[in-house]
Amino acid sequence: MNVMKFGGTSVGSPERMKSVAKLITRSGEPTFVVLSAMSGTTNSLVEISNYLYKKNPEGANEVINNLETKYMDHVENLYQNDDYKTKTREFLRDRFSYMRSFTKGIFTSFEEKIIVSQGEIMSTNMVNNYLQEQGIKSILVDALSFMRTNKNSEPDLLYIKEHLHEVMEKNPGYQIYITQGFICRNAYGEVDNLLRGGSDYTASLIGAALPADEIQIWTDIDGMHNNDPRFVDHTTAVHQLNFEEAAELAYFGAKILHPTCVQPAKYAGIPVRLKNTMEPDAEGTIINNELGRGTIKAVAAKDNITAIKIKSSRMLLATGFLRKVFEIFESYQTPIDMITTSEVGVSMSIDNNAHLDEIVDELKKYGTVTVDEDMCIICVVGDLDWHNVGFETIATDAMKDIPVRMISYGGSNYNISFLIKESDKKRALQSLSDTLFK
């Protein structure tokens, strides 16, 4: 059994839903399908929540009414059979009436999560009804019945596996199993969400729990490209990536995949394939535990980076200096991306400036602090083990005309990163592409 995940744009209209239905049924094999909310729906649901936080039920009801009209139009264009039109309309009316019930009482983050969850609940119902209208033996599986996080807001892997197996044992013989992405219950049974990775994370967790033969993430691009196609011409999809390489690229800017969402698949040894709904026959990118030796795979860029340098002659041979510095970032829950050190200084980069002023103020206790904003991290990913003599030189040669603020190499066997000004990003990406891939 394969797991197939489709994002919001893939189910963003009746035509796209019909295309997804063809994709998930063309193999004829049992398939577990994870769907996001229709594109634009989650933004509307967040807008509804914002009105309710501000105690403006009229504003919330207006957005609800507009969204309901949009969905009812989709029903008319999606189904041919009047019975299925009526069945789906009744379900949607019930959902929108449920949303309106929140305009009459206290509104908290608990109610917000319930409202935001409605997008996936509606999209999965619509697609499941369409499949049944087409004579496909499909079943809608409620993600809230098996997807749960623990008290640390991390997926409860044992619970997920046990309850998903119960669902499968009670419902054998279906060709298509459909569930929601993103939503879950927390350790207290409340409606919640998986936060980072969202629907991709759901697909990976399901694939690991089944276990699946392959997990397919379907988007509107044919795999992970070897450079950013928004800035560089003639990029191509990477045929194969190791899980570690994919995580590096995702973390440093490749938006097609969240860096943590494939971890369950990695630990279970299940390959993840990135596919394009617009070009379903394109090969896409396969992510697995294999490592292609002697190749540089791709380049990614991460914007909105701030570099912080603290310089102190007292640092020399001072035990505990770095610990004190790291504790400051930890106290403000601000992760560090890159770090380089010397005998008299340490430079770090962060991508969250929410507590920058407080962090800088604390760091001044230990030395002279300078800050560079509007920076960008360029990450080169591939087989960059230090035994591959000269591989790092190829990357640095491509950057010879670009002012580089920091270089990070050796933290892993898979990347070398450069911190540069955002204004130099396009030039750097193009130079790396010309040097590494042409």
Side-chain angles (χ1 to χ4, degrees):
M1 176 179 284
N2 287 340
V3 174
M4 301 174 74
K5 176 263 173 180
F6 294 87
T9 55
S10 297
V11 291
S13 68
E15 293 73 23
R16 296 306 312 146
M17 287 184 174
K18 292 175 183 179
S19 297
V20 165
K22 290 179 181 177
L23 287 174
I24 63 181
T25 57
R26 66 177 182 172
S27 71
E29 298 296 324
T31 305
F32 210 112
V33 180
V34 178
L35 298 181
S36 299
M38 290 176 59
S39 56
T41 298
T42 301
N43 289 340
S44 295
L45 297 175
V46 170
E47 186 180 5
I48 292 165
S49 299
N50 287 339
Y51 277 121
L52 294 177
Y53 274 125
K54 294 177 173 62
K55 298 183 176 13
N56 183 351
E58 293 81 7
N61 276 320
E62 184 174 345
V63 179
I64 292 171
N65 292 341
N66 291 337
L67 192 60
E68 183 175 17
T69 299
K70 175 182 174 182
Y71 270 76
M72 293 305 174
D73 288 343
H74 286 330
V75 170
E76 187 62 35
N77 295 318
L78 182 59
Y79 306 99
Q80 297 294 321
N81 188 299
D82 287 340
D83 289 341
Y84 279 96
K85 288 181 181 181
T86 301
K87 178 181 177 181
T88 307
R89 284 198 186 104
E90 288 177 354
F91 174 83
L92 293 175
R93 287 195 189 100
D94 178 69
R95 291 293 94 194
F96 284 107
S97 294
Y98 183 49
M99 288 185 227
R100 290 188 185 94
S101 70
F102 291 99
T103 66
K104 301 171 184 177
I106 297 172
F107 194 79
T108 68
S109 60
F110 172 74
E111 285 79 20
E112 179 187 15
K113 288 175 180 175
I114 293 175
I115 283 184
V116 172
S117 73
Q118 300 306 305
E120 285 79 17
I121 291 172
M122 291 190 294
S123 65
T124 50
N125 180 274
M126 292 171 71
V127 172
N128 185 58
N129 285 349
Y130 176 75
L131 288 169
Q132 291 182 354
E133 183 188 46
Q134 302 304 306
I136 305 299
K137 192 175 182 183
S138 68
I139 184 171
L140 184 57
V141 178
D142 185 5
L144 300 178
S145 68
F146 66 88
M147 191 61 63
R148 190 177 80 167
T149 56
N150 58 27
K151 292 182 179 179
N152 297 319
S153 297
E154 295 293 335
D156 188 334
L157 301 181
L158 183 60
Y159 180 96
I160 293 168
K161 185 173 183 177
E162 288 179 350
H163 285 75
L164 183 58
H165 280 205
E166 286 180 9
V167 168
M168 301 302 287
E169 287 172 2
K170 290 178 181 177
N171 300 282
Y174 285 89
Q175 182 183 344
I176 304 295
Y177 297 81
I178 294 182
T179 197
Q180 301 85 24
F182 184 64
I183 64 175
C184 64
R185 292 194 186 277
N186 60 24
Y188 309 100
E190 301 162 337
V191 175
D192 210 327
N193 58 66
L194 291 172
L195 298 176
R196 57 188 189 276
S199 299
D200 292 351
Y201 209 177
T202 301
S204 186
L205 289 164
I206 290 172
L210 283 173
D213 298 315
E214 184 175 278
I215 299 164
Q216 298 177 359
I217 309 295
W218 289 77
T219 66
D220 54 0
I221 187 170
D222 55 338
M224 196 173 285
H225 278 226
N226 60 2
N227 211 322
D228 193 329
R230 296 171 298 176
F231 300 96
V232 177
D233 295 330
H234 310 301
T235 64
T236 59
V238 181
H239 167 65
Q240 182 271 339
L241 289 167
N242 179 272
F243 278 114
E244 300 289 346
E245 294 170 334
E248 297 277 10
L249 286 170
Y251 183 78
F252 286 106
K255 302 296 184 186
I256 190 173
L257 197 66
H258 193 280
T260 61
C261 74
V262 295
Q263 285 181 353
K266 171 189 171 183
Y267 297 141
I270 298 169
V272 175
R273 191 179 297 275
L274 309 180
K275 297 279 286 180
N276 186 355
T277 53
M278 308 302 177
E279 297 182 35
D281 293 324
E283 186 177 13
T285 300
I286 185 77
I287 304 171
N288 52 32
N289 281 316
E290 297 176 12
L291 180 62
R293 293 290 180 185
T295 58
I296 292 178
K297 300 286 185 67
V299 178
K302 188 177 185 181
D303 295 331
N304 303 315
I305 301 297
T306 297
I308 303 170
K309 179 168 71 175
I310 173 170
K311 185 174 66 173
S312 173
S313 57
R314 292 179 294 160
M315 176 183 172
L316 186 64
L317 301 179
T319 302
F321 178 83
L322 284 177
R323 174 180 55 79
K324 293 174 183 176
V325 169
F326 291 148
E327 283 176 348
I328 292 171
F329 287 89
E330 181 183 4
S331 67
Y332 291 102
Q333 296 184 319
T334 302
I336 295 171
D337 285 318
M338 292 174 62
I339 180 169
T340 59
T341 64
S342 73
E343 290 293 350
V344 294
V346 55
S347 288
M348 294 149 291
S349 72
I350 60 174
D351 64 0
N352 181 355
N353 284 358
H355 300 287
L356 178 61
D357 292 340
E358 297 97 317
I359 289 170
V360 170
D361 192 55
E362 293 271 359
L363 289 173
K364 285 180 178 177
K365 297 176 183 177
Y366 303 107
T368 304
V369 181
T370 57
V371 176
D372 295 309
E373 297 187 80
D374 300 319
M375 306 296 284
C376 169
I377 295 176
I378 304 288
C379 177
V380 178
V381 168
D383 182 18
L384 286 157
D385 187 280
W386 67 283
H387 293 99
N388 291 336
V389 178
F391 268 47
E392 73 286 352
T393 305
I394 299 172
T396 53
D397 280 350
M399 300 289 287
K400 63 184 178 182
D401 297 322
I402 310 292
V404 176
R405 168 70 174 76
M406 289 168 59
I407 298 177
S408 176
Y409 173 62
S412 84
N413 292 332
Y414 306 102
N415 94 58
I416 179 170
S417 297
F418 303 89
L419 183 66
I420 65 172
K421 293 179 181 178
E422 275 190 23
S423 56
D424 291 323
K425 180 176 80 168
K426 182 174 181 178
R427 197 156 54 98
L429 290 175
Q430 188 64 61
S431 179
L432 284 163
S433 193
D434 292 342
T435 303
L436 300 176
F437 307 125
K438 291 184 180 179

